Amino acid sequence: MYAVILGLVGGAGALFFLWLLHMGELLLIEPLGHYHYLTVTAAYKHPVVPAFHIYWFIPVATTAGGLLAGFLVYTFAPEAEGHGTDGAVRAFHDTGGYIRPHVPLIKSLASAITIGSGGSAGREGPTAQIAAGVGSIMGGLLRVPDDERRLIVLMGMAAGLSAIFKSPLGTAIFAVEILYSGMAFEGDALLYTFISAAIAYAVVGSINGWTPLFFVANQPFGSALNLIWYGAVGVCAGIVGAILPAVFYGIRDAFRALAWPNHFKPAIGGLLVGLIGMVLPGILGGGYGYMQLMLEGAAGLSLSFLLLLLLGKIVTLSLTIGSGGSGGVFAPTLYIGAILGAGLAVLLHFMGFTTISITTLAVASMAAVFAGAARVPVASLVMVIEMTGGFQLIMPAMLAVSLSYIVQVALTRHRRYPTLYEAQVPLPMDSPVHQRLYQDIANELLRDGKIVLNEDTLTRLIGDRLSAEHGIPFIRGNERLFRVPLPAGAPIIGRSVRSLALTNFVIVAMVRQDHHLVPDNETSFMVGDEVVIAATPDAMDRFRHMMAPMVTRTPVNVS
């Protein structure tokens, strides 16, 4: 029942937001900036890159839009700043699915102003937070428990995205995959996101038609040897997907450190975006028309022009959202992917490989860049295929998406901001939602007398580590937990957990610069780390001998 209701709400909310976007364009970018966005339909009918022209008034529109959006957001709902999907993910993990009731309305208005004035942002984040916020409101009115309200938020997110992108299957998967940066899904919610996404798609399709978001001719990927180029696309997309979060959050942190009132920071970002948009108007807004040009292999594409669009979009997206503007990152990331794929195809044509299609490489690259940057390979693949209707390209796109994800993870393993979605956690075991479940199970065992431990000790150890979102309790036989600092010169510095081939003890957790983490086989040890080891006293003595000389360890007895 909830899924059906949220499907209807998501469809209606998406239509309302699209209308707000249209009004924002009519009131801001067109009269103030003297510029009209290139639409998908116009690009399809006339696939030629627009002639160079300087639009002197664009900074007026983008600055005014940033000023209005900043006033709205920081006066009424500061959590509405940034890209809204992150807000919905954070609500799932940290607040029991609770989103303040006025956030959806403020997010709608601020995003329509930001994008409608020329801000380089997409419409998926606002729609996700709008529909998720309505789901949270509904959960509050019905007084459902937190575990149900979290599912309702995911249903709302899937419905809103399905309606805005006409991708019911992909967005249903997206809502359960975006929560984790590792290969994990919130499987319990999937059936419900299927229902809500299907209903929302039906609502929008019955009004706006059933055609995909983009027009793509039926072009098979050609010879099997072309898979080499799709593999190259995947590797390049993974590199771009690693660069994008670093630039995005680097600019965001720079704005946060700026000693100006938050209300005015989006105007500064808008001014900088406008100055770039004066000469590169194609980077403004979501860029759907320019994506269609790439998919058409438009006349007039050159490597220098495409490189400018690629770099310009990365910078202006970061300026728009990082300064406090409101919008999404999905469409701009697809834009970057389309430009990258088209650029690689143009380069291959220049090198004499004329059989490769600009269209097919652009489609695969759209999916691959977002798959890496956002760590959602399955959803990204399905969404892009649905949005373009390029079902014949599933196989080569699968290769590109997989390689992009692998490369991006490898390049960002020790980065502060590994993905575009800051609220993601690596795996379900890292989410406070599931950690509370683990703690409840442990407490249940204790209450039933199935384990014999001091209750105060158990509560302290589990509570301290799980409430901070790190680790799970390790209890076995007469083992004890040892917290061991690693000084310079320790033999395991620079080595991975896998390389130690540990058999007599288990590394339960690590403390690195006051941050706890649960190591996996690929985690490397660094100077200053503290490792929490579960071992018997005899095994710990052997570890001391192997690590000598080292500092004294203080054991914590849990037996």
Side-chain angles (χ1 to χ4, degrees):
M1 181 186 70
Y2 297 155
V4 170
I5 293 173
L6 283 167
L8 296 171
V9 169
L15 291 171
F16 171 68
F17 183 62
L18 289 173
W19 177 80
L20 281 180
L21 281 177
H22 179 64
M23 295 304 297
E25 294 170 20
L26 290 179
L27 296 175
L28 292 168
I29 190 67
E30 294 183 7
L32 297 180
H34 300 173
Y35 178 74
H36 298 268
Y37 285 136
L38 178 65
T39 66
V40 171
T41 302
Y44 174 68
K45 292 181 177 178
H46 187 64
V48 176
V49 176
F52 176 77
H53 179 72
I54 297 179
Y55 293 87
W56 298 101
F57 292 96
I58 281 179
V60 177
T62 54
T63 305
L67 191 62
L68 289 172
F71 171 78
L72 268 178
V73 168
Y74 290 106
T75 301
F76 300 106
E79 63 267 50
E81 60 100 8
H83 53 113
T85 305
D86 221 32
V89 173
R90 187 171 289 107
F92 178 88
H93 288 307
D94 298 330
T95 65
Y98 176 76
I99 298 173
R100 290 202 295 167
H102 60 284
V103 168
L105 178 61
I106 300 302
K107 187 70 179 180
S108 304
L109 295 173
S111 299
I113 290 170
T114 298
I115 302 170
S117 64
S120 185
R123 55 201 190 196
E124 110 284 347
T127 313
Q129 194 168 25
I130 292 164
V134 172
S136 175
I137 294 170
M138 187 176 79
L141 293 174
L142 297 175
R143 298 183 179 180
V144 300
D146 284 355
D147 57 342
E148 289 188 22
R149 180 154 57 184
R150 281 190 291 267
L151 293 181
I152 288 175
V153 165
L154 298 185
M155 296 176 213
M157 187 194 309
L161 296 177
S162 172
I164 209 79
F165 291 120
K166 295 186 175 181
S167 171
L169 177 58
T171 52
I173 298 172
F174 178 89
V176 300
E177 189 179 17
I178 193 62
L179 304 172
Y180 306 109
S181 60
M183 285 301 299
F185 302 84
E186 194 65 27
D188 290 347
L190 189 57
L191 290 177
Y192 305 113
T193 59
F194 278 165
I195 295 171
S196 64
I199 297 293
Y201 175 67
V203 169
V204 170
S206 61
I207 295 174
N208 288 348
W210 306 97
T211 56
L213 198 63
F214 297 104
F215 303 101
V216 176
N218 184 18
Q219 296 192 35
F221 70 93
S223 168
L225 292 176
N226 284 341
L227 288 178
I228 296 172
W229 310 124
Y230 291 99
V233 164
V235 173
C236 293
I239 295 171
V240 172
I243 294 171
L244 185 54
V247 176
F248 183 87
Y249 285 109
I251 290 177
R252 193 278 307 269
D253 290 346
F255 270 100
R256 287 188 174 179
L258 191 64
W260 281 57
N262 287 335
H263 293 68
F264 299 104
K265 291 179 182 179
I268 300 173
L271 173 61
L272 296 175
V273 169
L275 293 175
I276 298 173
M278 284 172 55
V279 294
L280 279 178
I283 53 86
L284 300 175
Y288 293 94
Y290 273 76
M291 282 189 264
Q292 182 65 43
L293 288 180
M294 301 305 113
L295 296 175
E296 292 288 329
L301 295 179
S302 67
L303 278 177
S304 58
F305 175 68
L306 293 174
L307 181 61
L308 286 174
L309 289 180
L310 180 69
L311 297 177
K313 194 64 172 181
I314 291 175
V315 172
T316 53
L317 165 64
S318 305
L319 288 170
T320 299
I321 308 300
S323 64
S326 187
V329 297
F330 177 64
T333 308
L334 292 186
Y335 179 104
I336 293 167
I339 299 295
L340 176 66
L344 289 173
V346 170
L347 178 62
L348 289 173
H349 288 182
F350 177 77
M351 295 169 60
F353 299 97
T354 56
T355 59
I356 192 70
S357 165
I358 293 178
T359 298
T360 57
L361 278 193
V363 170
S365 185
M366 288 168 70
V369 171
F370 190 70
R375 301 278 187 90
V376 284
V378 179
S380 180
L381 171 66
V382 179
M383 287 179 70
V384 170
I385 293 300
E386 285 186 308
M387 290 166 61
T388 61
F391 295 97
Q392 73 279 4
L393 299 175
I394 287 179
M395 188 269 285
M398 286 168 59
L399 176 64
V401 161
S402 301
L403 289 175
S404 174
Y405 181 88
I406 292 169
V407 170
Q408 202 274 352
V409 170
L411 293 176
T412 60
R413 189 176 301 279
H414 302 298
R415 296 277 186 86
R416 182 180 180 185
Y417 300 114
T419 84
L420 275 176
Y421 293 94
E422 191 177 19
Q424 285 177 327
V425 298
L427 295 169
M429 66 183 293
D430 300 293
S431 171
V433 173
H434 298 289
Q435 288 173 353
R436 282 192 290 270
L437 175 61
Y438 302 150
Q439 185 171 355
D440 290 343
I441 292 172
N443 290 334
E444 181 90 17
L445 292 172
L446 183 66
R447 285 194 300 269
D448 292 346
K450 295 179 180 178
I451 53 176
V452 183
L453 292 174
N454 178 275
E455 185 170 2
D456 292 338
T457 301
L458 180 67
T459 301
R460 183 179 70 254
L461 289 175
I462 294 178
D464 287 349
R465 295 171 61 213
L466 292 188
S467 63
E469 306 180 19
H470 307 290
I472 59 174
F474 189 91
I475 304 165
R476 187 175 66 185
N478 65 340
E479 290 178 336
R480 303 160 75 184
L481 294 180
F482 296 84
R483 184 162 168 162
V484 184
L486 302 182
I492 64 173
I493 296 297
R495 297 177 61 184
S496 67
V497 173
R498 182 194 300 276
S499 69
L500 297 183
L502 306 177
T503 57
N504 297 317
F505 46 83
V506 175
I507 296 179
V508 180
M510 294 175 63
V511 182
R512 176 172 293 165
Q513 297 177 347
D514 295 328
H515 293 286
H516 293 68
L517 58 93
V518 179
D520 57 27
N521 284 332
E522 304 305 325
T523 301
S524 297
F525 299 97
M526 299 171 60
V527 175
D529 285 349
E530 291 183 293
V531 293
V532 179
I533 296 177
T536 63
D538 291 341
M540 194 61 206
D541 286 340
R542 290 193 293 273
F543 183 79
R544 289 190 182 100
H545 179 73
M546 182 179 73
M547 294 300 298
M550 290 188 65
V551 297
T552 303
R553 294 82 170 169
T554 303
V556 181
N557 193 341
V558 297
S559 62

